Structure formats: C-alpha cells, structure tokens
Amino acid sequence: MFQSDFVILARLLDTLGVMVQCAGAAPNSRVLARQLLELIWVTRFHKEATVRRSSLLSLSRMFVALSMTPHLLVQELQSELDDLIAWLADVKQHD
C-alpha cells in the first residue's frame, strides 16, 4: 500500500487528520494523535509528493487539535520535537 496505492494512502492520512482535529480535547484524542504521528513518521519521506503533502496536512491538524490544550501538545511531542523541527526544515528547503 505504501508504494502503488499512494492516492488511497494520501486520502487516509487526510481523513485521519480530520478525525484527530474533530476529536479535539476528547479524553482519548491524545492516543489517536500519537498513532497518527507514528503513521506520519512512516510516510514523511514517501516518493509521492501527494502523500508527503497529506502527511504535513495531518500533522498541522494534529497541532490544531492538541493546541486546544497546550500542555498536552508539549507533553505529547516532547521526545519528537527535535526530529519534527529537522523534518520541517528539510521540507521547507527541498519540497
């Protein structure tokens, strides 16, 4: 699925991003956001630009959802923050 069905994968990422954003401050939204981040991490260097764009869009929706409670945003992303910053800088430069 990660190579040939990239359109479905991109739509899946978009849909999961919307679900995380809609979950907002629900009790289990942190678990959903964490799982989405793991999927984003796997797809962030996909060869298709559509999948990479969907990964970025889902990440932004996750930020919006977790920003409703800023302490959760820092708590959930503390360990990945340096890697996220490096990835976003790379995207800015090369994509």
Side-chain angles (χ1 to χ4, degrees):
M1 179 171 172
F2 287 132
Q3 297 302 324
S4 61
D5 296 329
F6 68 91
V7 175
I8 295 170
L9 180 59
R11 296 291 183 180
L12 176 65
L13 283 164
D14 291 339
T15 302
L16 291 173
V18 169
M19 291 174 69
V20 167
Q21 185 177 6
C22 290
N28 290 331
S29 64
R30 289 175 45 197
V31 175
L32 185 58
R34 170 63 62 189
Q35 296 299 315
L36 177 59
L37 183 61
E38 288 180 20
L39 181 59
I40 290 169
W41 218 242
V42 171
T43 60
R44 68 184 178 195
F45 295 121
H46 197 279
K47 70 176 184 175
E48 295 294 335
T50 306
V51 175
R52 294 191 308 269
R53 182 190 56 81
S54 292
S55 295
L56 286 169
L57 182 62
S58 294
L59 182 67
S60 69
R61 291 182 182 275
M62 188 179 72
F63 282 150
V64 168
L66 292 176
S67 68
M68 293 178 198
T69 51
H71 65 282
L72 291 179
L73 180 63
V74 173
Q75 182 181 359
E76 284 299 310
L77 299 179
Q78 187 67 38
S79 61
E80 290 93 359
L81 203 53
D82 291 335
D83 292 333
L84 276 172
I85 292 170
W87 173 49
L88 292 174
D90 183 61
V91 169
K92 179 183 172 188
Q93 240 178 7
H94 299 106
D95 243 348

